[in-house]
Amino acid sequence: MAGEGEQQALARIPQGVQDVLRRRLALLAPTVTAGLRLAAVAGREAPVALLVHAADSDPDQLLDALDTGITAGLLTEPRPGTLRFSHALVRDALEADLTRLRLARMYSRLGRSLIALGSDDVAATAHHLLRAAAVVTADAGPAVHHARLACEQAVRRYAPQNAEALLDTALGLLTDQPAAFADQDPALLRVMLLGQLVDCRIRMGAVVPARDAQQQAVRVARAEGRADLLTAAYTTWTEPTPWRVRPYAACDPEAVEELTNLLENHDPDDRQRCLLLDQLADALDDTDPRAVTVARQAVELSKTVGDPRLRGLTLTSLLRRIDCELEPAAYLELHEELAEVAASQDSPEYSWMSAYTAARIAAARNDPAQMERCLLRADEIARTYELRGAFAIAQLRRPMVAMAQGRFGEAEQDLASAVAELRARGAVDLSGLAGLAAGCIRLQQDRLAEVLPVVLAVWEQYQPLNEALTALALLAAHRTEEAREVFARRVPIRRDFVYSILTALRGIAAIAFGDRQAAAEVYRDLLPFQGLAGGASSLSLVFRPVAQTLGELAQFLGHAQDAQRHYREAARVAAAWDSPHWSDAAQAALARLPQAARQRPHG
């Protein structure tokens, strides 16, 4: 590393070591070196039977060469019938001097020998044939076939990163050597490979790249004009994700049209129909009432199919459509079904999802201790099975709890780190969520004008869905006319995981602008959520007790006794979350109420 730099040192054998090994190997006969080179290409360790079958020399000559390698201390015999290089550098040195052509020929012989010997080591077969196929065109077809088998094996062994590398190489062969696949169905093969790529990327937590791979498959199908390929492309998504796949507030009208056509006119089987319904529910706009209806149809059909994993997938999708703050009974029922699936399957993905969903329920019940217990269980599953994206998503509860307890600087720092990690993993882009969190924090600190550029950037991305925070930030910056113009653009708030936060912000803005009609509407909309900490069930950010906003709205509307009741509820929620600043705000609001309202109980 000192002599050649870290990159070179990690990429190849240091030149000095290579020279020493070459001098030692030069003492051996050429036939011995040739046999050792074949063993080197086979790997650090290889069966003798494989080397004998793959050799282009007399078997006895090869065995003599290998025996000489053992005597020279270059090879060892860890068990009968198996040889192992005494040091990886020896193997690397032998392989390094081979030309690309010679190396490819050796890889080809080794790969085809594994097939001829009936080896079940599909990973080794794929490894050799994929490296051979770049030169030996005849190996391209078998290489892709074994790459698919090795990918399935790697996913079963919770090594999706290995699967992704295999698939990337196989897809490259389809592009670089189309003639090698002329006797197959190249478009179908590409869609199938992309489907496997979708699967392994989801398991890696790289949901955005997984979505890109599925879109590639859809584009291939569209270019071919084939309904069977479109069905195959749209049914590649078979693993659960805790967050919605598409960007927030986005829909896909083209996909809706195609999926509807496939469902109505092309007679898919029940499994395909279930997966198509699941995709249709995701493609529809969040505000479209058909989305929940279609998601429920998928769940019911999954029961008919009788595949627990398919049932788990559709239940997870429906859970994303039903928020536990808005429909707690329905959400709890769905979680119980998901827990049944997780218990019946050896599936870490669904076990993790069940624990994560239970944590959301605990947060909605103002039970942060139970929430943490559920998330610690989820973390243990994610670590054990390397569900890295899932683990990163669960870490969002740390900045959320810091927000609740008033550790605002820590919350912003932790949230920024979590958002950056999730983006780097391709899991999800939460820049909008981070902007909303920053605005909520600064609003509680009476420093909202400081983050006006951030709030305006979020406004540009999602307008008019986040008008209240934008208007309040403009007002704090003394841009009153702009603030009024933005607030006037309000539309119905989406009933999703940030509904209680955005609605509370609208209530605060209504008071700031003296808009009694808007305040009354918000009061009515928030009343069903009065016992909640706003947004806590998202496990990603929290604003303040909904009851605090209800108290301020009631006081603004002249209902002091109702305000007193709400402030007391806000104090109760604050105590549950161990939140001094929420508690102080509730107590201060109670102290400011007229004496008569504080003495008389609400009728």
Side-chain angles (χ1 to χ4, degrees):
M1 288 177 69
E4 301 182 31
E6 181 178 347
Q7 185 175 358
Q8 287 296 329
L10 294 176
R12 67 182 187 186
I13 305 171
Q15 189 60 48
V17 176
Q18 179 82 345
D19 291 341
V20 170
L21 290 169
R22 278 175 179 160
R23 286 195 294 272
R24 186 175 181 186
L25 293 170
L27 300 175
L28 302 173
T31 55
V32 174
T33 306
L36 292 176
R37 290 197 196 284
L38 178 64
V41 175
R44 177 79 187 273
E45 186 175 291
V48 174
L50 171 63
L51 299 176
V52 170
H53 193 282
D56 59 357
S57 60
D58 178 74
D60 288 337
Q61 187 180 64
L62 175 70
L63 290 173
D64 288 342
L66 298 176
D67 189 58
T68 302
I70 295 170
T71 303
L74 302 175
L75 295 173
T76 63
E77 294 180 280
R79 53 192 172 276
T82 301
L83 295 177
R84 180 181 176 84
F85 279 94
S86 57
H87 199 292
L89 286 176
V90 176
R91 192 205 75 84
D92 293 347
L94 284 161
E95 187 182 52
D97 284 338
L98 290 169
T99 65
R100 185 178 174 212
L101 177 60
R102 175 64 64 184
L103 195 58
R105 294 293 180 186
M106 286 186 172
Y107 276 130
S108 179
R109 293 203 307 271
L110 287 164
R112 290 184 176 276
S113 293
L114 284 168
I115 296 172
L117 292 169
S119 172
D120 59 359
D121 192 346
V122 291
T125 306
H127 168 86
H128 294 310
L129 291 178
L130 286 171
R131 282 156 180 75
V135 174
V136 186
T137 306
D139 285 334
V144 169
H145 172 71
H146 282 84
R148 293 191 63 215
L149 296 176
C151 171
E152 292 172 1
Q153 185 184 78
V155 168
R156 287 196 302 272
R157 293 175 176 176
Y158 304 104
Q161 294 87 349
N162 295 352
E164 183 185 36
L166 287 166
L167 291 166
D168 283 340
T169 305
L171 284 163
L173 283 178
L174 257 70
T175 300
D176 298 338
Q177 299 186 25
F181 304 93
D183 60 338
Q184 302 183 47
D185 185 341
L188 177 59
L189 184 56
R190 183 172 291 278
V191 169
M192 293 169 69
L193 286 167
L194 286 167
Q196 288 185 280
L197 190 59
V198 170
D199 181 69
C200 70
R201 283 179 174 174
I202 295 172
R203 293 171 188 269
M204 291 164 58
V207 178
V208 174
R211 176 68 182 156
D212 291 342
Q214 187 187 47
Q215 285 301 300
Q216 288 181 48
V218 169
R219 287 194 292 272
V220 171
R222 285 172 181 164
E224 295 291 320
R226 291 169 51 182
D228 64 320
L229 290 185
L230 264 181
T231 298
Y234 277 121
T235 55
T236 55
W237 203 283
T238 59
E239 293 302 316
T241 56
W243 289 58
R244 191 165 184 259
V245 176
R246 298 183 189 280
Y248 182 73
C251 62
D252 189 341
E254 188 174 11
V256 170
E257 182 179 352
E258 287 175 335
L259 288 161
T260 302
N261 179 51
L262 291 171
L263 286 162
E264 293 178 353
N265 301 317
H266 293 279
D267 195 27
D269 62 38
D270 283 348
R271 179 178 176 78
Q272 290 173 329
R273 181 174 292 277
C274 188
L275 290 169
L276 291 171
L277 286 169
D278 184 72
Q279 287 291 292
L280 178 57
D282 184 69
L284 288 164
D285 187 274
D286 288 336
T287 60
D288 192 325
R290 292 178 298 167
V292 173
T293 301
V294 170
R296 288 192 181 279
Q297 289 174 357
V299 171
E300 291 306 310
L301 186 55
S302 71
K303 297 175 184 177
T304 301
V305 174
D307 181 349
R309 290 186 65 84
L310 190 59
R311 184 178 170 212
L313 171 72
T314 55
L315 283 168
T316 301
S317 298
L318 182 54
L319 280 163
R320 289 200 304 270
R321 289 284 179 181
I322 298 177
D323 192 84
C324 60
E325 290 185 359
L326 304 172
E327 301 179 61
Y331 195 86
L332 180 60
E333 181 181 349
L334 291 171
H335 170 251
E336 289 172 352
E337 287 191 55
L338 182 61
E340 289 178 11
V341 172
S344 68
Q345 296 290 299
D346 182 16
S347 171
E349 294 87 358
Y350 290 111
S351 295
W352 183 91
M353 197 68 66
S354 177
Y356 184 80
T357 304
R360 292 197 66 194
I361 294 170
R365 291 174 171 172
N366 297 313
D367 189 348
Q370 175 63 13
M371 177 196 78
E372 183 63 19
R373 284 191 289 271
C374 293
L375 288 174
L376 286 174
R377 178 169 174 267
D379 288 348
E380 182 181 1
I381 295 168
R383 283 196 195 94
T384 301
Y385 296 96
E386 295 193 38
L387 307 178
R388 298 176 184 179
F391 182 79
I393 284 176
Q395 299 314 299
L396 286 167
R397 96 278 204 151
R398 304 197 185 285
M400 184 195 80
V401 171
M403 286 178 70
Q405 297 177 352
R407 294 179 278 114
F408 292 132
E410 179 184 331
E412 287 193 89
Q413 186 175 17
D414 287 352
L415 183 59
S417 298
V419 168
E421 181 179 358
L422 286 166
R423 186 186 296 116
R425 291 188 182 281
V428 64
D429 184 358
L430 295 180
S431 54
L433 189 77
L436 177 61
C440 289
I441 288 172
R442 290 292 197 274
L443 179 61
Q444 292 174 89
Q445 295 176 310
D446 197 23
R447 296 165 51 194
L448 187 54
E450 295 176 1
V451 291
L452 178 60
V454 174
V455 173
L456 289 176
V458 177
W459 167 251
E460 287 300 318
Q461 186 174 1
Y462 296 110
Q463 62 177 302
L465 301 179
N466 55 328
E467 93 297 327
L469 184 62
T470 308
L472 287 167
L474 288 167
L475 194 63
H478 307 293
R479 293 162 61 172
T480 306
E481 290 307 313
E482 291 177 77
R484 290 188 181 280
E485 180 184 346
V486 167
F487 188 60
R489 294 184 57 186
R490 57 189 179 275
V491 296
I493 296 174
R494 291 170 177 261
R495 298 179 73 82
D496 57 25
F497 69 102
V498 288
Y499 175 82
S500 59
I501 294 179
L502 296 181
T503 308
L505 290 169
R506 180 172 289 184
I508 294 170
I511 295 171
F513 291 110
D515 190 329
R516 293 182 64 84
Q517 180 179 345
E521 291 173 357
V522 171
Y523 182 84
R524 181 196 64 224
D525 293 341
L526 277 181
L527 202 54
F529 312 106
Q530 59 183 316
L532 301 175
S537 68
S538 70
L539 302 184
S540 54
L541 79 163
V542 66
F543 181 30
R544 63 178 185 173
V546 172
Q548 185 72 25
T549 305
L550 285 168
E552 292 171 3
L553 288 165
Q555 194 170 354
F556 173 69
L557 294 169
H559 306 306
Q561 293 180 14
D562 289 331
Q564 179 192 50
R565 173 168 54 87
H566 292 313
Y567 289 142
R568 286 177 175 168
E569 176 65 11
R572 184 192 69 80
V573 174
W577 284 91
D578 190 23
S579 175
H581 73 291
W582 287 353
S583 180
D584 290 346
Q587 296 301 330
L590 278 169
R592 289 193 297 268
L593 284 174
Q595 186 69 22
R598 283 185 276 127
Q599 289 177 346
R600 290 200 306 270
H602 179 64

